[in-house]
Amino acid sequence: MDGFLENSLKFIEDSGWLAPLFFIVLHVIRQVFFIPVLLVCLVGGYLFGTLYGSVYSIVGLTAVSIVFYGLVRIFPGIGAKLTDVKQHFFKGRQDWNLPQMMIIRMLPLIHFHVVSLYLIETTKGLREYSRKSFLVSIPPAVLYTAFGDMIHELPLAGTIVFAFFLLILFMLFRKKQSNISWEEFFQTKKP
């Protein structure tokens, strides 16, 4: 993985005006080599700066999501395997809102495609999925590109404080209501 990433970095640096295109392609193929999103976004910040690196990462992450959408439609087994992982993280909940999904996408411990699978299941088609994938890709792309070095080199205490901050944000943006069906509210206990 390190060799591939180093070779890719060197290739992108030497490719001149095609570098943004190759960087976006790196985002799409990174999943084959099990390279985390965080590392690719860090490379984007290193190569292109915060603004352009963030833009290219957003485009790349959205492209990855659209490719994943197609793969799940063509090979349903991919989605079935990720459903178990999704159930582990989300505990069967299906009512996350868009700001919560943005925060979840920033957490490096949650697999990128678990969030994509959730978006596939909660959207009505490719157009809505693409729009939401684009929006959900903005926070991690900007955060990892702009502050990647700072996050990567934080001591353990700083990492814990940052994770706690994300958890507080996640809880602040949750839905404040829950729906209970009539039958569920008035269900009778059987002796």
Side-chain angles (χ1 to χ4, degrees), residues 59-86:
V59 171
L61 292 174
T62 304
V64 167
S65 297
I66 292 170
V67 168
F68 180 72
Y69 183 90
L71 287 174
V72 167
R73 295 292 183 221
I74 295 169
F75 305 107
I78 294 172
K81 288 184 181 189
L82 275 175
T83 298
D84 293 337
V85 178
K86 183 181 70 85

Side-chain angles (χ1 to χ4, degrees), residues 121-159:
E121 292 173 350
T122 58
T123 55
K124 294 180 178 114
L126 179 60
R127 174 178 244 152
E128 182 184 2
Y129 170 78
S130 298
R131 185 183 65 80
K132 285 189 176 183
S133 292
F134 172 78
L135 292 173
V136 168
S137 295
I138 293 171
V142 171
L143 181 72
Y144 292 159
T145 302
F147 300 110
D149 288 329
M150 181 184 76
I151 293 169
H152 186 67
E153 295 180 15
L154 276 177
L156 179 60
T159 304

Side-chain angles (χ1 to χ4, degrees), residues 96-115:
W96 304 117
N97 58 30
L98 196 61
Q100 285 177 312
M101 294 311 302
M102 290 174 164
I103 293 167
I104 289 173
R105 186 56 66 86
M106 284 189 294
L107 299 172
L109 300 176
I110 307 267
H111 194 281
F112 183 87
H113 292 307
V114 169
V115 176

